[in-house]
Amino acid sequence: MKAMILAAGLGTRLRPLTDNIPKALVELNGRTLLEITIDRLKSFGVTEIIVNVHHHAEKVAAFLKSKNNFGIRIELSREDGLLLDTGGGLKKAAWFFQEENSDEPFLLHNVDVLTTIDFRQMLAAHKKSSALATLAVQERPSSRQLLFDQNNLLAGRRINNVDTLASSPNSAPGSVGTPACVPVAQAESHPTSNLLAAEHHPLPTAHHPLAFSGIHVISPRLLPLITESGVFSIIDTYLRLAASNEKISAFRADSFYWRDLGRPEDLTQAANDLQSKVRL
């Protein structure tokens, strides 16, 4: 099985830890985030990995060489001139997953998340649904959430309580930067209750907001459907495809541990979790 680790980000929220090293090489209890991610992927049968790099790319290359690539095939996808974001990064690395015309799904994993999500369960759910992509999601607070319908299929997104639903290509023009989406409503706190009220009309009850966990299972047949270019988020691609009735599915990961490692205080909490209760 193959996987991609998204590790090209600048790690600005982790400064000063990332002033002189990439976030992939920030340590948690004596192990780099990259090593932790690689070891987890290997434990689920991943034998080939591509890592996108940008900030201090040579340090990532040197680290992998010093570890003999952890005994597996590891390639680097260099974004030296321009940081491509998640969608652009995956598109640049698409060749890795199109070798030998394989139709085997692969994992896409942020380097700066720590989780106990069972990738075997996630892969099985992906294959059962025949989705283009399956996204690990949880019901937890977040300023940026994805909206899923009653069939657990991607239907839109919510950013700062503003809902945007995927629309058909023949509908009215969408929001800036995401032509396949149209704004629906803005939720605001009701002055006399804890309920959320829609500014224009009620939020659709069929759409469930869930927080994305930065882990995907993707079928290679998605790759030729990525028509965006340059710097773009893969979420924009998912929303466009969902608007065309392609299946982008949710994998509910509520029962698993998950933590974003984007800030120094997150690392401190994760270190405590690993010492007390979490077993990767």
Side-chain angles (χ1 to χ4, degrees), residues 33-95:
L33 303 187
L34 182 59
E35 179 176 355
I36 292 170
T37 306
I38 290 172
D39 281 347
R40 280 216 83 229
L41 290 171
K42 285 179 60 179
S43 74
F44 285 97
V46 172
T47 57
E48 299 179 82
I49 297 174
I50 189 165
V51 184
N52 70 336
V53 291
H54 174 80
H55 183 55
H56 294 297
E58 292 305 325
K59 292 187 177 181
V60 175
F63 172 76
L64 290 171
K65 183 177 180 180
S66 73
K67 298 292 185 178
N68 195 29
N69 283 347
F70 294 90
I72 61 174
R73 178 193 178 194
I74 298 183
E75 303 280 353
L76 294 182
S77 180
R78 295 179 177 271
E79 300 177 15
D80 296 329
L82 183 65
L83 190 59
L84 296 174
D85 205 342
T86 53
L90 175 59
K91 186 170 184 176
K92 182 177 175 62
W95 64 269

Side-chain angles (χ1 to χ4, degrees), residues 85 144 157 159 164 173-183 227-229 231-240:
D85 205 342
R144 302 172 68 89
R157 65 179 161 193
I159 301 177
T164 306
S175 57
V176 175
T178 312
C181 295
V182 291
T227 57
E228 294 80 3
S229 61
V231 180
F232 64 96
S233 168
I234 193 62
I235 299 299
D236 289 343
T237 302
Y238 291 156
L239 289 166
R240 174 178 58 78

Side-chain angles (χ1 to χ4, degrees), residues 3-9 13 23-24 33-38 40-41 50-52 85-87 90 107-115 117 119 136 140 212-218 233-235 238 258-262:
M4 180 173 184
I5 299 175
L6 296 170
R13 293 183 298 153
K23 66 179 177 181
L33 303 187
L34 182 59
E35 179 176 355
I36 292 170
T37 306
I38 290 172
R40 280 216 83 229
L41 290 171
I50 189 165
V51 184
N52 70 336
D85 205 342
T86 53
L90 175 59
L107 276 157
L108 184 62
H109 195 303
N110 287 4
V111 77
D112 55 356
V113 298
L114 185 71
T115 185
I117 290 174
F119 297 148
R140 55 179 166 79
F212 180 43
S213 298
I215 299 170
H216 333 219
V217 174
I218 298 173
S233 168
I234 193 62
I235 299 299
Y238 291 156
W258 180 91
R259 180 170 292 280
D260 173 68
L261 301 176

